[in-house]
Amino acid sequence: MSAPFEISRIAAHAAWPMGEWLGFSGEADGESAVYKLAFSEEHIGNPMIRALHGGVIAAFLEFAMQADLAARLEAGAPISTATMAIDYLASSRAEDMRARVRVMRLGRRIAFLEATGWQADEAQPVATGRASLRIG
């Protein structure tokens, strides 16, 4: 069921309505990718502190994990989120966010992934997420 990492599948994922709203994109980085949430004023949660909404951050990390898994499976393999957990580690700013995804385990019917999102410095993450995604 697993296939070589295919970056073009990330672009197809980004074209979905949620991907467009998030300003989602991904760039190849060896055998994986770095994902991007393009900042938009619609992503602000609290206008007083100009921080990204926590739900936007969670949606971005979940979408990155789904896109990363899609890039590793046969084209068209259905994926759905079974569980998801987010830890917010620092306040965000009104700017782009990036993320890396790590596949913890890829089985025949379920995959376990984690994502780390940052803004200015990858060594200072804003949030981390873990998900189990159903395949098929």
Side-chain angles (χ1 to χ4, degrees):
M1 179 148 233
S2 168
F5 190 84
E6 181 56 57
I7 193 76
S8 66
R9 293 195 193 114
I10 294 169
H13 208 75
W16 294 3
M18 179 60 113
E20 289 180 358
W21 186 79
L22 290 170
F24 184 84
S25 63
E27 294 181 4
D29 185 29
E31 291 296 311
S32 64
V34 173
Y35 299 94
K36 179 181 171 185
L37 163 73
F39 172 73
S40 167
E41 287 295 325
E42 294 177 317
H43 298 157
I44 294 292
N46 182 341
M48 297 298 288
I49 61 171
R50 305 267 312 142
L52 295 175
H53 191 284
V56 171
I57 293 170
F60 168 58
L61 294 178
E62 179 180 14
F63 208 72
M65 288 185 275
Q66 291 174 346
D68 198 84
L69 183 58
R72 296 172 189 282
L73 299 175
E74 296 295 330
I79 298 168
S80 60
T81 302
T83 65
M84 174 84 178
I86 299 287
D87 292 316
Y88 299 96
L89 307 173
S91 184
S92 64
R93 293 180 299 282
E95 62 186 53
D96 294 351
M97 179 175 263
R98 290 187 166 49
R100 278 189 200 279
V101 173
R102 185 167 70 119
V103 177
M104 307 297 291
R105 182 176 187 279
L106 177 56
R108 288 181 296 129
R109 296 183 186 204
I110 197 158
F112 299 90
L113 298 95
E114 69 178 18
T116 302
W118 72 91
Q119 288 185 304
D121 183 357
E122 188 171 357
Q124 297 178 338
V126 171
T128 60
R130 286 163 310 288
S132 55
L133 303 177
R134 284 190 204 115
I135 303 165

